Amino acid sequence: MSERANASVIPFKVEDEPEDEMAEQGSIENPAERLQLSEAVRMAEAIIFASAEPVSEKQLAVRLPEGVNIAAAMADLQEIYAKRGVNLVRVGDAWAFRTAGDLAFLMSRDSVQQRKLSRAALEVLAIIAYHQPVTRAEIEDIRGVETSKGTLDTLLETEWVRMRGRRRTPGRPVTYGTTDAFLDHFALEEIRDLPGMEELKGAGLLSTRMPANFSMPVPPADPDALAEDEDALTDIDLEELGLLTPRVTDE
């Protein structure tokens, strides 16, 4: 009998495909869905590019085809512009195209020079940003000095600060908060991206010898949500504050 006849057959074991590879194959999107998403990305790009103001996700949802995954579309568009001279940035719940940070020097000659804020205005702006919603009396209590109406008017004119409601206390004082324009100017996605205590110390904006009991407030996650002791401004409030033209009646 030959050696070949005595030889045993050893079957080859076919190894299972790696789980990662199988998962990857299973994660391939439906071509039709991918095509729809790609078209939604192009449409979102056109809408945001043509807008002079940041475009909110609610506005995009109204104008894009029904059922489009807005978050996925914006993530794709943001990735496309990540390494370009213009970046897609988030401003609160809105999106806008902005010059890439490392190329900002090219725009310095063309930028509009805004009026320089006084030290008092900067202090008030910082207090409003971190303590919002906050009233004028509360601002004065934190600063330890009186705050002039002109200082608040200046901040309102910059559109970085807004009147947001009334406190449910005697006199119903107006509460103040920041705006999306504030986030946009300081390149913040949300109000909680404001620098913390350690960052301010590192930048030399806070003394390293702060009192042991000193703490910084955490801004609200949703700056548009009213506080428990705060009422929204009504048309009557707006008329009283000079923000709405009084209605003319037939009488």
Side-chain angles (χ1 to χ4, degrees):
M1 188 178 290
S2 65
E3 293 181 2
R4 178 174 297 182
N6 290 329
S8 59
V9 178
I10 302 176
F12 289 97
K13 180 180 180 181
V14 179
E15 296 183 358
D16 295 334
E17 294 185 18
E19 292 184 3
D20 292 344
E21 184 177 342
M22 293 180 65
E24 183 178 348
Q25 292 176 356
S27 65
I28 297 177
E29 297 179 9
N30 183 303
E33 292 179 355
R34 186 63 206 176
L35 181 61
Q36 182 188 36
L37 183 62
S38 298
E39 188 63 18
V41 169
R42 292 182 63 243
M43 295 171 69
E45 179 182 22
I47 293 170
I48 298 171
F49 180 81
S51 176
E53 302 292 336
V55 181
S56 70
E57 292 190 358
K58 289 182 179 179
Q59 292 173 313
L60 288 172
V62 170
R63 302 179 68 178
L64 293 180
E66 186 177 355
V68 167
N69 187 330
I70 302 296
M74 299 316 295
D76 280 6
L77 188 57
Q78 192 171 37
E79 185 177 353
I80 291 171
Y81 279 89
K83 296 182 180 180
R84 296 189 179 182
V86 174
N87 298 152
L88 180 67
V89 300
R90 188 175 188 121
V91 182
D93 68 340
W95 295 88
F97 284 118
R98 294 290 181 263
T99 303
D102 60 329
L103 300 179
F105 69 94
L106 296 173
M107 307 294 115
S108 59
R109 294 182 180 180
D110 301 327
S111 61
V112 177
Q113 295 297 320
Q114 296 189 356
R115 180 171 51 180
K116 186 176 181 180
L117 295 179
S118 65
R119 178 174 178 176
L122 289 173
E123 289 178 358
V124 172
L125 178 62
I127 291 171
I128 293 174
Y130 282 94
H131 291 263
Q132 60 184 305
V134 61
T135 66
R136 179 176 172 180
E138 291 166 345
I139 293 171
E140 293 175 346
D141 184 54
I142 295 170
R143 292 186 66 216
V145 295
E146 184 178 351
T147 300
S148 69
K149 184 177 181 298
T151 298
L152 285 170
D153 287 343
T154 297
L155 293 175
L156 291 169
E157 288 174 7
T158 64
E159 297 185 352
W160 293 348
V161 168
R162 65 186 175 93
M163 296 179 184
R164 47 169 291 149
R166 283 188 180 275
R167 185 80 76 214
R168 294 176 190 165
T169 55
R172 300 184 68 245
V174 173
T175 55
Y176 296 90
T178 54
T179 65
D180 283 348
F182 171 85
L183 298 178
D184 193 12
H185 182 83
F186 291 98
L188 302 171
E189 284 193 10
E190 58 180 39
I191 198 64
R192 288 198 171 183
D193 288 336
L194 284 168
M197 189 185 304
E198 296 305 319
E199 293 174 280
L200 293 174
K201 284 182 180 179
L205 299 176
L206 279 181
S207 171
T208 56
R209 298 181 178 181
M210 300 298 295
N213 61 345
F214 180 82
S215 63
M216 291 181 61
V218 178
D222 183 3
D224 293 328
L226 293 172
E228 293 182 358
D229 60 347
E230 186 182 24
D231 290 323
L233 293 173
T234 64
D235 287 348
I236 295 177
D237 292 324
L238 296 175
E239 289 180 14
E240 188 179 300
L241 296 169
L243 301 177
L244 185 67
T245 304
R247 287 170 293 181
V248 178
T249 60
D250 295 334
E251 296 181 0

